[in-house]
Amino acid sequence: EPEVTQTPSHQVTQMGQEVILRCVPISNHLYFYWYRQILGQKVEFLVSFYNNEISEKSEIFDDQFSVERPDGSNFTLKIRSTKLEDSAMYFCATGTGSKLQYFGPGTRLTVT
Amino acid sequence: GNSVTQMEGPVTLSEEAFLTINCTYTATGYPSLFWYVQYPGEGLQLLLKATKADDKGSNKGFEATYRKETTSFHLEKGSVQVSDSAVYFCALSDLPGGATNKLIFGTGTLLAVQP
């Protein structure tokens, strides 16, 4: 069964550094999403992406965040200058445009 | 705004016990409702869904009924197994918020089933 994959599984970085989280979507999916879950809190929507542009973004998704699909396969989330409060589990999800979204296993980001 | 409230965990049950995890929602319009499950070390997997009032979603022995009158979507299973131990998330689709159908999640409920 096709799966969404994410790399790395765990990323440790120092405050102020840039990080790139990667996601490989299911091959025929056209809608892409990032969510995050701070430890002990809700899973929160960050951004959705379709047709090579952002469809919607949350208040969390400020200028420090960006997304792109650089090679038509990977879908990346970049945080330009990480803060301690960016420490969280980041989930990629992909879909065909129906209400169903398929999630990856997540990347745990730890900012020290 | 739209929101989902789940009962707090952890929920600890013995094998073959009956499970209920409560979920209520606040939404404008008529959202679709979902239960996702996260097994240890894995991603979120869709467990079941319901797209309109009175729909019952079911999968792997789990059931949930979309109750518009009580704005609830409680998850139930008649006889849990150790392998059901996981975190369960209730979620709704953010309709009619555009074509992206972003999901709004509850906090998750940890279920631990003991043999």
PDB file of all heavy atoms in Angstrom, chain A residues 3-34:
ATOM      1  N   GLU A   3       2.547   4.766   0.745  1.00  0.00           N
ATOM      2  CA  GLU A   3       2.656   5.487   1.999  1.00  0.00           C
ATOM      3  C   GLU A   3       3.307   6.838   1.770  1.00  0.00           C
ATOM      4  O   GLU A   3       4.083   7.025   0.830  1.00  0.00           O
ATOM      5  CB  GLU A   3       3.528   4.706   2.987  1.00  0.00           C
ATOM      6  CG  GLU A   3       2.951   3.397   3.474  1.00  0.00           C
ATOM      7  CD  GLU A   3       3.884   2.716   4.452  1.00  0.00           C
ATOM      8  OE1 GLU A   3       5.089   3.002   4.433  1.00  0.00           O
ATOM      9  OE2 GLU A   3       3.389   1.880   5.225  1.00  0.00           O
ATOM     10  N   VAL A   4       3.015   7.746   2.656  1.00  0.00           N
ATOM     11  CA  VAL A   4       3.726   9.011   2.719  1.00  0.00           C
ATOM     12  C   VAL A   4       4.955   8.787   3.593  1.00  0.00           C
ATOM     13  O   VAL A   4       4.856   8.191   4.677  1.00  0.00           O
ATOM     14  CB  VAL A   4       2.840  10.111   3.335  1.00  0.00           C
ATOM     15  CG1 VAL A   4       3.607  11.421   3.450  1.00  0.00           C
ATOM     16  CG2 VAL A   4       1.570  10.302   2.510  1.00  0.00           C
ATOM     17  N   THR A   5       6.100   9.214   3.124  1.00  0.00           N
ATOM     18  CA  THR A   5       7.313   9.058   3.920  1.00  0.00           C
ATOM     19  C   THR A   5       7.880  10.425   4.264  1.00  0.00           C
ATOM     20  O   THR A   5       7.682  11.407   3.529  1.00  0.00           O
ATOM     21  CB  THR A   5       8.372   8.227   3.184  1.00  0.00           C
ATOM     22  OG1 THR A   5       8.696   8.869   1.944  1.00  0.00           O
ATOM     23  CG2 THR A   5       7.861   6.826   2.894  1.00  0.00           C
ATOM     24  N   GLN A   6       8.581  10.480   5.401  1.00  0.00           N
ATOM     25  CA  GLN A   6       9.159  11.738   5.852  1.00  0.00           C
ATOM     26  C   GLN A   6      10.583  11.489   6.333  1.00  0.00           C
ATOM     27  O   GLN A   6      10.880  10.463   6.934  1.00  0.00           O
ATOM     28  CB  GLN A   6       8.349  12.324   7.013  1.00  0.00           C
ATOM     29  CG  GLN A   6       6.993  12.853   6.615  1.00  0.00           C
ATOM     30  CD  GLN A   6       6.280  13.525   7.762  1.00  0.00           C
ATOM     31  OE1 GLN A   6       5.206  13.087   8.205  1.00  0.00           O
ATOM     32  NE2 GLN A   6       6.865  14.619   8.277  1.00  0.00           N
ATOM     33  N   THR A   7      11.433  12.467   6.038  1.00  0.00           N
ATOM     34  CA  THR A   7      12.806  12.413   6.527  1.00  0.00           C
ATOM     35  C   THR A   7      13.229  13.793   7.019  1.00  0.00           C
ATOM     36  O   THR A   7      12.758  14.817   6.483  1.00  0.00           O
ATOM     37  CB  THR A   7      13.784  11.965   5.430  1.00  0.00           C
ATOM     38  OG1 THR A   7      13.634  12.825   4.290  1.00  0.00           O
ATOM     39  CG2 THR A   7      13.552  10.524   5.043  1.00  0.00           C
ATOM     40  N   PRO A   8      14.095  13.851   8.024  1.00  0.00           N
ATOM     41  CA  PRO A   8      14.507  12.734   8.862  1.00  0.00           C
ATOM     42  C   PRO A   8      13.413  12.372   9.859  1.00  0.00           C
ATOM     43  O   PRO A   8      12.419  13.086   9.972  1.00  0.00           O
ATOM     44  CB  PRO A   8      15.739  13.305   9.569  1.00  0.00           C
ATOM     45  CG  PRO A   8      15.426  14.761   9.718  1.00  0.00           C
ATOM     46  CD  PRO A   8      14.649  15.136   8.480  1.00  0.00           C
ATOM     47  N   SER A   9      13.619  11.309  10.580  1.00  0.00           N
ATOM     48  CA  SER A   9      12.634  10.964  11.605  1.00  0.00           C
ATOM     49  C   SER A   9      12.828  11.847  12.836  1.00  0.00           C
ATOM     50  O   SER A   9      11.874  12.138  13.559  1.00  0.00           O
ATOM     51  CB  SER A   9      12.748   9.487  11.982  1.00  0.00           C
ATOM     52  OG  SER A   9      14.058   9.194  12.422  1.00  0.00           O
ATOM     53  N   HIS A  10      14.075  12.254  13.076  1.00  0.00           N
ATOM     54  CA  HIS A  10      14.370  13.115  14.215  1.00  0.00           C
ATOM     55  C   HIS A  10      15.468  14.093  13.800  1.00  0.00           C
ATOM     56  O   HIS A  10      16.471  13.677  13.212  1.00  0.00           O
ATOM     57  CB  HIS A  10      14.810  12.291  15.428  1.00  0.00           C
ATOM     58  CG  HIS A  10      14.919  13.092  16.692  1.00  0.00           C
ATOM     59  ND1 HIS A  10      15.541  12.611  17.825  1.00  0.00           N
ATOM     60  CD2 HIS A  10      14.484  14.338  17.019  1.00  0.00           C
ATOM     61  CE1 HIS A  10      15.490  13.526  18.779  1.00  0.00           C
ATOM     62  NE2 HIS A  10      14.841  14.579  18.315  1.00  0.00           N
ATOM     63  N   GLN A  11      15.237  15.363  14.056  1.00  0.00           N
ATOM     64  CA  GLN A  11      16.196  16.408  13.727  1.00  0.00           C
ATOM     65  C   GLN A  11      16.447  17.236  14.985  1.00  0.00           C
ATOM     66  O   GLN A  11      15.494  17.749  15.582  1.00  0.00           O
ATOM     67  CB  GLN A  11      15.636  17.302  12.615  1.00  0.00           C
ATOM     68  CG  GLN A  11      16.469  18.512  12.290  1.00  0.00           C
ATOM     69  CD  GLN A  11      17.535  18.216  11.264  1.00  0.00           C
ATOM     70  OE1 GLN A  11      17.261  17.618  10.228  1.00  0.00           O
ATOM     71  NE2 GLN A  11      18.749  18.636  11.545  1.00  0.00           N
ATOM     72  N   VAL A  12      17.727  17.348  15.321  1.00  0.00           N
ATOM     73  CA  VAL A  12      18.103  18.221  16.432  1.00  0.00           C
ATOM     74  C   VAL A  12      18.883  19.389  15.846  1.00  0.00           C
ATOM     75  O   VAL A  12      19.805  19.196  15.061  1.00  0.00           O
ATOM     76  CB  VAL A  12      18.973  17.475  17.473  1.00  0.00           C
ATOM     77  CG1 VAL A  12      19.324  18.409  18.620  1.00  0.00           C
ATOM     78  CG2 VAL A  12      18.245  16.241  17.997  1.00  0.00           C
ATOM     79  N   THR A  13      18.512  20.600  16.229  1.00  0.00           N
ATOM     80  CA  THR A  13      19.162  21.774  15.683  1.00  0.00           C
ATOM     81  C   THR A  13      19.293  22.837  16.756  1.00  0.00           C
ATOM     82  O   THR A  13      18.578  22.815  17.769  1.00  0.00           O
ATOM     83  CB  THR A  13      18.376  22.327  14.487  1.00  0.00           C
ATOM     84  OG1 THR A  13      19.144  23.334  13.837  1.00  0.00           O
ATOM     85  CG2 THR A  13      17.042  22.927  14.923  1.00  0.00           C
ATOM     86  N   GLN A  14      20.212  23.756  16.520  1.00  0.00           N
ATOM     87  CA  GLN A  14      20.377  24.849  17.479  1.00  0.00           C
ATOM     88  C   GLN A  14      19.483  26.015  17.076  1.00  0.00           C
ATOM     89  O   GLN A  14      19.216  26.243  15.886  1.00  0.00           O
ATOM     90  CB  GLN A  14      21.840  25.295  17.522  1.00  0.00           C
ATOM     91  CG  GLN A  14      22.769  24.276  18.163  1.00  0.00           C
ATOM     92  CD  GLN A  14      24.155  24.827  18.385  1.00  0.00           C
ATOM     93  OE1 GLN A  14      24.635  25.635  17.584  1.00  0.00           O
ATOM     94  NE2 GLN A  14      24.802  24.405  19.448  1.00  0.00           N
ATOM     95  N   MET A  15      19.073  26.747  18.075  1.00  0.00           N
ATOM     96  CA  MET A  15      18.242  27.925  17.849  1.00  0.00           C
ATOM     97  C   MET A  15      18.903  28.845  16.825  1.00  0.00           C
ATOM     98  O   MET A  15      20.118  29.070  16.880  1.00  0.00           O
ATOM     99  CB  MET A  15      18.086  28.647  19.188  1.00  0.00           C
ATOM    100  CG  MET A  15      16.979  29.636  19.258  1.00  0.00           C
ATOM    101  SD  MET A  15      16.648  30.140  20.965  1.00  0.00           S
ATOM    102  CE  MET A  15      18.278  30.516  21.571  1.00  0.00           C
ATOM    103  N   GLY A  16      18.114  29.331  15.891  1.00  0.00           N
ATOM    104  CA  GLY A  16      18.627  30.233  14.877  1.00  0.00           C
ATOM    105  C   GLY A  16      19.072  29.549  13.597  1.00  0.00           C
ATOM    106  O   GLY A  16      19.288  30.226  12.579  1.00  0.00           O
ATOM    107  N   GLN A  17      19.172  28.240  13.636  1.00  0.00           N
ATOM    108  CA  GLN A  17      19.576  27.503  12.440  1.00  0.00           C
ATOM    109  C   GLN A  17      18.378  27.244  11.538  1.00  0.00           C
ATOM    110  O   GLN A  17      17.230  27.218  11.980  1.00  0.00           O
ATOM    111  CB  GLN A  17      20.219  26.174  12.830  1.00  0.00           C
ATOM    112  CG  GLN A  17      21.526  26.316  13.598  1.00  0.00           C
ATOM    113  CD  GLN A  17      22.581  26.985  12.767  1.00  0.00           C
ATOM    114  OE1 GLN A  17      22.913  26.539  11.670  1.00  0.00           O
ATOM    115  NE2 GLN A  17      23.117  28.091  13.266  1.00  0.00           N
ATOM    116  N   GLU A  18      18.677  27.012  10.274  1.00  0.00           N
ATOM    117  CA  GLU A  18      17.644  26.652   9.305  1.00  0.00           C
ATOM    118  C   GLU A  18      17.491  25.129   9.264  1.00  0.00           C
ATOM    119  O   GLU A  18      18.477  24.400   9.378  1.00  0.00           O
ATOM    120  CB  GLU A  18      18.058  27.148   7.921  1.00  0.00           C
ATOM    121  CG  GLU A  18      17.127  26.730   6.796  1.00  0.00           C
ATOM    122  CD  GLU A  18      17.637  27.191   5.437  1.00  0.00           C
ATOM    123  OE1 GLU A  18      17.519  28.387   5.127  1.00  0.00           O
ATOM    124  OE2 GLU A  18      18.158  26.321   4.691  1.00  0.00           O
ATOM    125  N   VAL A  19      16.265  24.684   9.133  1.00  0.00           N
ATOM    126  CA  VAL A  19      16.010  23.253   8.955  1.00  0.00           C
ATOM    127  C   VAL A  19      15.069  23.053   7.775  1.00  0.00           C
ATOM    128  O   VAL A  19      14.230  23.907   7.470  1.00  0.00           O
ATOM    129  CB  VAL A  19      15.401  22.591  10.206  1.00  0.00           C
ATOM    130  CG1 VAL A  19      16.376  22.612  11.362  1.00  0.00           C
ATOM    131  CG2 VAL A  19      14.073  23.225  10.582  1.00  0.00           C
ATOM    132  N   ILE A  20      15.256  21.936   7.119  1.00  0.00           N
ATOM    133  CA  ILE A  20      14.359  21.537   6.034  1.00  0.00           C
ATOM    134  C   ILE A  20      13.847  20.143   6.340  1.00  0.00           C
ATOM    135  O   ILE A  20      14.623  19.199   6.515  1.00  0.00           O
ATOM    136  CB  ILE A  20      15.084  21.545   4.675  1.00  0.00           C
ATOM    137  CG1 ILE A  20      15.548  22.954   4.327  1.00  0.00           C
ATOM    138  CG2 ILE A  20      14.134  21.029   3.581  1.00  0.00           C
ATOM    139  CD1 ILE A  20      16.354  23.038   3.045  1.00  0.00           C
ATOM    140  N   LEU A  21      12.539  20.043   6.398  1.00  0.00           N
ATOM    141  CA  LEU A  21      11.881  18.755   6.616  1.00  0.00           C
ATOM    142  C   LEU A  21      11.326  18.283   5.280  1.00  0.00           C
ATOM    143  O   LEU A  21      10.724  19.065   4.545  1.00  0.00           O
ATOM    144  CB  LEU A  21      10.760  18.896   7.653  1.00  0.00           C
ATOM    145  CG  LEU A  21      11.133  19.598   8.961  1.00  0.00           C
ATOM    146  CD1 LEU A  21       9.944  19.606   9.920  1.00  0.00           C
ATOM    147  CD2 LEU A  21      12.350  18.986   9.599  1.00  0.00           C
ATOM    148  N   ARG A  22      11.511  17.000   5.007  1.00  0.00           N
ATOM    149  CA  ARG A  22      11.145  16.486   3.689  1.00  0.00           C
ATOM    150  C   ARG A  22      10.032  15.456   3.772  1.00  0.00           C
ATOM    151  O   ARG A  22       9.962  14.674   4.716  1.00  0.00           O
ATOM    152  CB  ARG A  22      12.361  15.886   3.006  1.00  0.00           C
ATOM    153  CG  ARG A  22      13.392  16.924   2.616  1.00  0.00           C
ATOM    154  CD  ARG A  22      14.577  16.345   1.882  1.00  0.00           C
ATOM    155  NE  ARG A  22      15.398  17.402   1.315  1.00  0.00           N
ATOM    156  CZ  ARG A  22      16.295  18.126   1.987  1.00  0.00           C
ATOM    157  NH1 ARG A  22      16.484  17.889   3.274  1.00  0.00           N
ATOM    158  NH2 ARG A  22      16.987  19.067   1.378  1.00  0.00           N
ATOM    159  N   CYS A  23       9.241  15.450   2.723  1.00  0.00           N
ATOM    160  CA  CYS A  23       8.096  14.555   2.635  1.00  0.00           C
ATOM    161  C   CYS A  23       8.030  14.032   1.207  1.00  0.00           C
ATOM    162  O   CYS A  23       8.174  14.805   0.251  1.00  0.00           O
ATOM    163  CB  CYS A  23       6.834  15.334   2.991  1.00  0.00           C
ATOM    164  SG  CYS A  23       5.276  14.503   2.644  1.00  0.00           S
ATOM    165  N   VAL A  24       7.824  12.743   1.063  1.00  0.00           N
ATOM    166  CA  VAL A  24       7.568  12.174  -0.257  1.00  0.00           C
ATOM    167  C   VAL A  24       6.108  11.739  -0.285  1.00  0.00           C
ATOM    168  O   VAL A  24       5.706  10.829   0.432  1.00  0.00           O
ATOM    169  CB  VAL A  24       8.479  10.978  -0.564  1.00  0.00           C
ATOM    170  CG1 VAL A  24       8.132  10.392  -1.933  1.00  0.00           C
ATOM    171  CG2 VAL A  24       9.940  11.397  -0.524  1.00  0.00           C
ATOM    172  N   PRO A  25       5.296  12.421  -1.107  1.00  0.00           N
ATOM    173  CA  PRO A  25       3.860  12.131  -1.133  1.00  0.00           C
ATOM    174  C   PRO A  25       3.561  10.811  -1.840  1.00  0.00           C
ATOM    175  O   PRO A  25       4.408  10.258  -2.547  1.00  0.00           O
ATOM    176  CB  PRO A  25       3.276  13.290  -1.946  1.00  0.00           C
ATOM    177  CG  PRO A  25       4.375  14.264  -2.134  1.00  0.00           C
ATOM    178  CD  PRO A  25       5.648  13.531  -1.970  1.00  0.00           C
ATOM    179  N   ILE A  26       2.354  10.358  -1.698  1.00  0.00           N
ATOM    180  CA  ILE A  26       1.851   9.264  -2.512  1.00  0.00           C
ATOM    181  C   ILE A  26       1.769   9.771  -3.949  1.00  0.00           C
ATOM    182  O   ILE A  26       1.354  10.916  -4.188  1.00  0.00           O
ATOM    183  CB  ILE A  26       0.489   8.783  -1.986  1.00  0.00           C
ATOM    184  CG1 ILE A  26       0.678   8.175  -0.589  1.00  0.00           C
ATOM    185  CG2 ILE A  26      -0.148   7.761  -2.926  1.00  0.00           C
ATOM    186  CD1 ILE A  26      -0.607   7.832   0.128  1.00  0.00           C
ATOM    187  N   SER A  27       2.125   8.921  -4.897  1.00  0.00           N
ATOM    188  CA  SER A  27       2.482   9.411  -6.228  1.00  0.00           C
ATOM    189  C   SER A  27       1.369  10.150  -6.965  1.00  0.00           C
ATOM    190  O   SER A  27       1.638  11.088  -7.676  1.00  0.00           O
ATOM    191  CB  SER A  27       2.979   8.256  -7.101  1.00  0.00           C
ATOM    192  OG  SER A  27       1.947   7.310  -7.273  1.00  0.00           O
ATOM    193  N   ASN A  28       0.140   9.814  -6.837  1.00  0.00           N
ATOM    194  CA  ASN A  28      -0.900  10.494  -7.616  1.00  0.00           C
ATOM    195  C   ASN A  28      -1.608  11.585  -6.821  1.00  0.00           C
ATOM    196  O   ASN A  28      -2.630  12.114  -7.268  1.00  0.00           O
ATOM    197  CB  ASN A  28      -1.922   9.482  -8.141  1.00  0.00           C
ATOM    198  CG  ASN A  28      -2.658   8.778  -7.022  1.00  0.00           C
ATOM    199  OD1 ASN A  28      -2.157   8.708  -5.902  1.00  0.00           O
ATOM    200  ND2 ASN A  28      -3.847   8.271  -7.298  1.00  0.00           N
ATOM    201  N   HIS A  29      -1.071  11.937  -5.673  1.00  0.00           N
ATOM    202  CA  HIS A  29      -1.703  12.956  -4.851  1.00  0.00           C
ATOM    203  C   HIS A  29      -1.247  14.345  -5.276  1.00  0.00           C
ATOM    204  O   HIS A  29      -0.096  14.549  -5.657  1.00  0.00           O
ATOM    205  CB  HIS A  29      -1.390  12.724  -3.373  1.00  0.00           C
ATOM    206  CG  HIS A  29      -2.130  11.567  -2.800  1.00  0.00           C
ATOM    207  ND1 HIS A  29      -2.099  11.263  -1.460  1.00  0.00           N
ATOM    208  CD2 HIS A  29      -2.943  10.647  -3.370  1.00  0.00           C
ATOM    209  CE1 HIS A  29      -2.862  10.192  -1.243  1.00  0.00           C
ATOM    210  NE2 HIS A  29      -3.369   9.804  -2.398  1.00  0.00           N
ATOM    211  N   LEU A  30      -2.184  15.276  -5.203  1.00  0.00           N
ATOM    212  CA  LEU A  30      -1.922  16.628  -5.691  1.00  0.00           C
ATOM    213  C   LEU A  30      -2.038  17.687  -4.600  1.00  0.00           C
ATOM    214  O   LEU A  30      -1.680  18.838  -4.821  1.00  0.00           O
ATOM    215  CB  LEU A  30      -2.915  16.969  -6.811  1.00  0.00           C
ATOM    216  CG  LEU A  30      -2.872  16.044  -8.038  1.00  0.00           C
ATOM    217  CD1 LEU A  30      -3.967  16.444  -9.017  1.00  0.00           C
ATOM    218  CD2 LEU A  30      -1.502  16.102  -8.709  1.00  0.00           C
ATOM    219  N   TYR A  31      -2.586  17.293  -3.440  1.00  0.00           N
ATOM    220  CA  TYR A  31      -2.781  18.239  -2.345  1.00  0.00           C
ATOM    221  C   TYR A  31      -1.823  17.849  -1.221  1.00  0.00           C
ATOM    222  O   TYR A  31      -1.718  16.677  -0.860  1.00  0.00           O
ATOM    223  CB  TYR A  31      -4.227  18.188  -1.842  1.00  0.00           C
ATOM    224  CG  TYR A  31      -5.231  18.707  -2.838  1.00  0.00           C
ATOM    225  CD1 TYR A  31      -5.673  17.903  -3.885  1.00  0.00           C
ATOM    226  CD2 TYR A  31      -5.735  20.000  -2.741  1.00  0.00           C
ATOM    227  CE1 TYR A  31      -6.582  18.375  -4.813  1.00  0.00           C
ATOM    228  CE2 TYR A  31      -6.655  20.474  -3.661  1.00  0.00           C
ATOM    229  CZ  TYR A  31      -7.069  19.656  -4.696  1.00  0.00           C
ATOM    230  OH  TYR A  31      -7.966  20.130  -5.614  1.00  0.00           O
ATOM    231  N   PHE A  32      -1.173  18.839  -0.672  1.00  0.00           N
ATOM    232  CA  PHE A  32      -0.140  18.575   0.322  1.00  0.00           C
ATOM    233  C   PHE A  32      -0.358  19.492   1.508  1.00  0.00           C
ATOM    234  O   PHE A  32      -0.759  20.647   1.356  1.00  0.00           O
ATOM    235  CB  PHE A  32       1.250  18.815  -0.283  1.00  0.00           C
ATOM    236  CG  PHE A  32       1.425  18.136  -1.603  1.00  0.00           C
ATOM    237  CD1 PHE A  32       1.421  18.878  -2.780  1.00  0.00           C
ATOM    238  CD2 PHE A  32       1.568  16.770  -1.690  1.00  0.00           C
ATOM    239  CE1 PHE A  32       1.562  18.258  -4.006  1.00  0.00           C
ATOM    240  CE2 PHE A  32       1.707  16.139  -2.909  1.00  0.00           C
ATOM    241  CZ  PHE A  32       1.712  16.885  -4.068  1.00  0.00           C
ATOM    242  N   TYR A  33      -0.039  18.950   2.689  1.00  0.00           N
ATOM    243  CA  TYR A  33      -0.300  19.659   3.937  1.00  0.00           C
ATOM    244  C   TYR A  33       0.854  19.434   4.911  1.00  0.00           C
ATOM    245  O   TYR A  33       1.480  18.374   4.909  1.00  0.00           O
ATOM    246  CB  TYR A  33      -1.583  19.129   4.607  1.00  0.00           C
ATOM    247  CG  TYR A  33      -2.791  19.033   3.710  1.00  0.00           C
ATOM    248  CD1 TYR A  33      -2.965  17.933   2.873  1.00  0.00           C
ATOM    249  CD2 TYR A  33      -3.763  20.024   3.694  1.00  0.00           C
ATOM    250  CE1 TYR A  33      -4.072  17.826   2.045  1.00  0.00           C
ATOM    251  CE2 TYR A  33      -4.874  19.923   2.875  1.00  0.00           C
ATOM    252  CZ  TYR A  33      -5.016  18.818   2.055  1.00  0.00           C
ATOM    253  OH  TYR A  33      -6.118  18.718   1.240  1.00  0.00           O
ATOM    254  N   TRP A  34       1.073  20.419   5.759  1.00  0.00           N
ATOM    255  CA  TRP A  34       1.913  20.242   6.932  1.00  0.00           C
ATOM    256  C   TRP A  34       1.091  20.563   8.178  1.00  0.00           C
ATOM    257  O   TRP A  34       0.345  21.552   8.208  1.00  0.00           O
ATOM    258  CB  TRP A  34       3.145  21.143   6.885  1.00  0.00           C
ATOM    259  CG  TRP A  34       4.210  20.683   5.952  1.00  0.00           C
ATOM    260  CD1 TRP A  34       4.480  21.169   4.707  1.00  0.00           C
ATOM    261  CD2 TRP A  34       5.168  19.649   6.182  1.00  0.00           C
ATOM    262  NE1 TRP A  34       5.527  20.498   4.147  1.00  0.00           N
ATOM    263  CE2 TRP A  34       5.984  19.558   5.037  1.00  0.00           C
ATOM    264  CE3 TRP A  34       5.433  18.782   7.254  1.00  0.00           C
ATOM    265  CZ2 TRP A  34       7.023  18.651   4.916  1.00  0.00           C
ATOM    266  CZ3 TRP A  34       6.476  17.878   7.146  1.00  0.00           C
ATOM    267  CH2 TRP A  34       7.259  17.811   5.982  1.00  0.00           C
TER     268      TRP A  34
END
